Amino acid sequence: MYRSQQLALKYFIAAIALFGIMIVFGLLASAQYVHMGFLFQVLDFSITKTLHIDTMILWLLMGFMGCIYWFLPQELERDVEGIKLAEIMFYILCTAIATVAAVFIFVQYGGSNEFSMWFINQGRKYVEAPRWAAIGIVLVVLVFSYNIVATAIKAKKITGIMGVLMIDLVPLFALYLIAFPRITNMSVDLFWWWWLVHLWVEGTWEVLIGCIMALALMQLLGTARRIVETWLYIEVALVLGTGILGLGHHYFWIGTPEYWLAIGGLFSALEPLPLLGMVVHAVYDAGTHHMKTTNKPALYWMMAEAFGNFLGAGVFGFMMTLPQINLFSHGTQWTVSHGHFAFWGAYACGVLSVVYVALQKARGLEEMNGIRWKWSFGLLNFGMIGMVGALLISGIAQAFYERAIGGSTIQAFIDAQSNLWFLQGMNARLVFGVLFAIGYAVLVYDLLTIGGKHRTKQAAVLRPA
Amino acid sequence: MSGYELIYASLLLGVFVLCAGGYGVLYTLAQLQNAASWLYGARTFYGLQWLTTAAIVATTPLAAGWKLLIVVSCLVTLRVPQVIWKYLELIHK
């Protein structure tokens, strides 16, 4: 195994640990919806929610980095350039995350001044990390980019996938810089902030996961490079073609000109088309191979990625993206429902698929199968579908009672929060959240033990008489 | 838009995309297994998508521009799985 792949395994361990922390804070936040006073002034909702969202971004980011560090030496047939620096950065990133989390939990608040911005909380949703940590993230991404570009240059080999990946590194790095400016006009601030949030997620991350899935497909199903690369180009063109201006659906109600209603609505409405293409491709690939593979969990998670992305981003997104609907639905649990499902389908399932691909090779297993991964696959997906269904009910209740009937007044907001449909939705979300957490526990157990018997047998065979 | 119109229109929009997905999946399965039953299923889903489109156009208060977009999307959806299938076959040869 290459040194870079050993680093990838560390990234996967950190990512799965953060996934667990994300679930814990998600459960706490959902419990706070059901029991309003739960942990009040000890660990407030604002903190549990922040930690839930930030760990979600970080576990996926670390998962992506793990995937790239895993596949890069295989793709370029040499170890990663600057691997020592990458290893140092991994520990710096872990330390920074732990420190920021500790500050969020134990300090929580600060005044609205330079000190709190640098050391407690920047105060911007999704990029709450204090400025010192944000600079750290920039450094980590810079080193990550250096690793990829320098390795390709040293190897004198730039494949189609590598070309797409290297181009993607530019916006991946540049867009994060939007976390830094201090803009006092809220509309202008939100205008640029959405570049970071939307274009990272529906631009650079989509391309990144496309590259990762292309590399995984070659390893998992032995699909020819020519095929995955051609498909990658098409998917990237379609996703970016619809996704970049799909940014407009965030500009509907933040004080931007009215033409964004048409642009955002039109391009968002086109976004399901490439997702439909992905589903057709997934069924084609699985069908031509008759679902036969030596790594069943990886294949199933990959299939879940295509279908989850279509349902979460495509179906749930389209339900609420046209401006006339979005006027009522934005910022309610309806959006939360769409967000959960889309992130799960588009990214989380893909990362989990590659984790199984990596484990198969790391443990030298000819075949990956068993019963536990099926339980975790079932519980996690069932839990997620239950959660997003429950959130959808709560969100629709909010849009109906608070916005459409109540006219978005403060009293209407309070009334909707105590509406039975809303409350039952939030209760159901907590129950399905617990199921999801059980699925996670089974997943961790499976990841730790899968192939254990095989390894014991192998060790017995290798042991000298 | 009233509350009931909001829920009705958004659910129809969700069903619209779901039907497109069902059509795409069943069309691909029909081609893979060369089975007429899957193809009937695919056509049923596409038919349902047209019914949903008709309901959106005729009964929701969405603006005319969005209704036109839905009709065009439904027309385009017919060709999406077919074009992708042909292309997939081409690059796999």
Side-chain angles (χ1 to χ4, degrees), chain A residues 123-318:
Chain A
R124 302 176 89 200
K125 202 161 77 168
Y126 300 122
V127 279
E128 285 96 345
R131 197 145 278 202
W132 71 266
I135 292 171
I137 291 171
V138 169
L139 285 176
V140 169
V141 176
L142 267 180
V143 169
F144 178 62
S145 307
Y146 164 75
N147 289 146
I148 295 169
V149 177
T151 312
I153 291 170
K154 281 271 179 183
K156 293 180 182 158
K157 185 180 175 187
I158 297 180
T159 60
I161 300 171
M162 286 305 299
V164 173
L165 181 62
M166 285 199 283
I167 293 168
D168 190 48
L169 289 173
V170 178
L172 186 74
F173 168 72
L175 287 170
Y176 188 73
L177 299 179
I178 298 170
F180 289 93
R182 275 184 284 180
I183 301 167
T184 49
N185 182 308
M186 203 170 171
S187 287
V188 178
D189 183 55
L190 281 172
F191 183 92
W192 293 112
W193 177 78
W194 277 117
W195 274 55
L196 166 59
V197 177
H198 174 97
L199 290 182
W200 240 37
V201 172
E202 283 176 61
T204 59
W205 278 26
E206 285 275 8
V207 176
L208 199 54
I209 196 77
C211 293
I212 290 166
M213 287 296 104
L215 291 162
L217 263 176
M218 286 197 293
Q219 194 160 322
L220 191 62
L221 295 175
T223 314
R225 174 177 295 279
R226 182 178 54 83
I227 295 166
V228 291
E229 287 189 344
T230 312
W231 193 251
L232 178 66
Y233 300 144
I234 295 167
E235 281 299 329
V236 166
L238 286 172
V239 165
L240 293 184
T242 56
I244 289 177
L245 282 172
L247 166 75
H249 64 232
H250 298 294
Y251 286 172
F252 289 168
W253 325 113
I254 62 166
T256 48
E258 208 173 307
Y259 54 73
W260 281 109
L261 294 175
I263 296 172
L266 173 65
F267 283 90
S268 305
L270 296 176
E271 281 186 84
L273 289 176
L275 304 179
L276 176 61
M278 282 185 211
V279 167
V280 172
H281 190 196
V283 175
Y284 179 93
D285 267 345
T288 48
H289 290 85
H290 304 289
M291 296 293 277
K292 278 183 188 158
T293 172
T294 57
N295 195 333
K296 278 261 167 72
L299 181 65
Y300 274 75
W301 278 114
M302 199 180 272
M303 292 292 288
E305 203 246 351
F307 280 91
N309 200 359
F310 176 75
L311 291 170
V315 177
F316 275 50
F318 196 63

Side-chain angles (χ1 to χ4, degrees), chain A residues 350-366:
Chain A
V351 170
L352 292 176
S353 171
V354 177
V355 170
Y356 275 103
V357 169
L359 273 186
Q360 185 177 23
K361 191 173 178 204
R363 292 182 184 166
L365 301 171
E366 280 174 18

Side-chain angles (χ1 to χ4, degrees), chain A residues 280-436:
Chain A
V280 172
H281 190 196
V283 175
Y284 179 93
D285 267 345
T288 48
H289 290 85
H290 304 289
M291 296 293 277
K292 278 183 188 158
T293 172
T294 57
N295 195 333
K296 278 261 167 72
L299 181 65
Y300 274 75
W301 278 114
M302 199 180 272
M303 292 292 288
E305 203 246 351
F307 280 91
N309 200 359
F310 176 75
L311 291 170
V315 177
F316 275 50
F318 196 63
M319 278 175 79
M320 52 175 282
T321 201
L322 296 183
Q324 277 178 278
I325 308 276
N326 195 271
L327 176 66
F328 301 94
S329 66
H330 77 279
T332 62
Q333 298 297 333
W334 198 337
T335 321
V336 179
S337 162
H338 159 59
H340 274 76
F341 210 175
F343 265 101
W344 177 248
Y347 303 118
C349 295
V351 170
L352 292 176
S353 171
V354 177
V355 170
Y356 275 103
V357 169
L359 273 186
Q360 185 177 23
K361 191 173 178 204
R363 292 182 184 166
L365 301 171
E366 280 174 18
E367 190 166 4
M368 291 280 267
N369 211 340
I371 188 74
R372 283 188 297 271
W373 78 264
K374 290 173 188 164
W375 273 102
S376 71
F377 182 86
L379 282 167
L380 283 165
N381 282 301
F382 184 65
M384 177 54 69
I385 290 167
M387 274 197 288
V388 299
L391 285 166
L392 183 66
I393 290 168
S394 289
I396 288 178
Q398 272 182 297
F400 186 85
Y401 292 106
E402 177 194 327
R403 305 275 169 86
I405 291 178
S408 299
T409 60
I410 291 176
Q411 188 56 49
F413 170 77
I414 293 165
D415 289 344
Q417 295 293 305
S418 52
N419 177 273
L420 204 58
W421 282 100
F422 177 82
L423 291 174
Q424 285 179 345
M426 300 315 280
N427 279 321
R429 190 268 292 264
L430 181 56
V431 172
F432 283 107
V434 172
L435 269 184
F436 188 82

Side-chain angles (χ1 to χ4, degrees), chain A residues 223 226-228 230-231 234 261-266 269-270 272-273 276-281 283-288 307 310-311 314-315 318-320 322-326 328-329 334 392 396 399-400 404-405, chain B residues 1-7 9-25 27-29 32 56 61-64 66-67 69-70 73 76-77 80-81 84-85 87-93:
Chain A
T223 314
R226 182 178 54 83
I227 295 166
V228 291
T230 312
W231 193 251
I234 295 167
L261 294 175
I263 296 172
L266 173 65
L270 296 176
L273 289 176
L276 176 61
M278 282 185 211
V279 167
V280 172
H281 190 196
V283 175
Y284 179 93
D285 267 345
T288 48
F307 280 91
F310 176 75
L311 291 170
V315 177
F318 196 63
M319 278 175 79
M320 52 175 282
L322 296 183
Q324 277 178 278
I325 308 276
N326 195 271
F328 301 94
S329 66
W334 198 337
L392 183 66
I396 288 178
F400 186 85
I405 291 178
Chain B
M1 191 182 282
S2 74
Y4 290 106
E5 286 169 335
L6 165 74
I7 296 172
S10 67
L11 288 179
L12 279 180
L13 290 169
V15 171
F16 176 84
V17 183
L18 263 180
C19 288
Y23 165 58
V25 169
Y27 179 86
T28 314
L29 286 173
L32 272 171
I56 290 170
L62 289 176
W66 299 124
K67 288 180 178 175
L69 180 70
I70 300 290
S73 297
V76 171
T77 304
V80 171
I84 290 173
W85 175 265
Y87 194 73
L88 281 170
E89 278 207 316
L90 186 75
I91 58 175
H92 277 78
K93 271 176 190 166

Side-chain angles (χ1 to χ4, degrees), chain A residues 16-34 38-39 42-59 97-106 108 336 340 387 426 429-430 433-434 436-437 440:
Chain A
I16 296 294
L18 279 173
F19 181 25
I21 296 168
M22 180 203 78
I23 293 170
V24 169
F25 284 102
L27 283 175
L28 287 176
S30 59
Q32 284 168 330
Y33 267 107
V34 176
F38 181 56
L39 293 179
V42 178
L43 194 61
D44 285 343
F45 175 75
S46 59
I47 303 298
T48 52
K49 183 194 161 198
T50 298
L51 282 163
H52 177 60
I53 291 173
D54 288 7
T55 45
M56 180 273 290
I57 293 169
L58 284 166
W59 94 258
I97 291 169
T99 310
V100 171
V103 169
F104 282 172
I105 293 168
F106 297 110
Q108 299 191 12
V336 179
H340 274 76
M387 274 197 288
M426 300 315 280
R429 190 268 292 264
L430 181 56
V434 172
F436 188 82
Y440 169 78

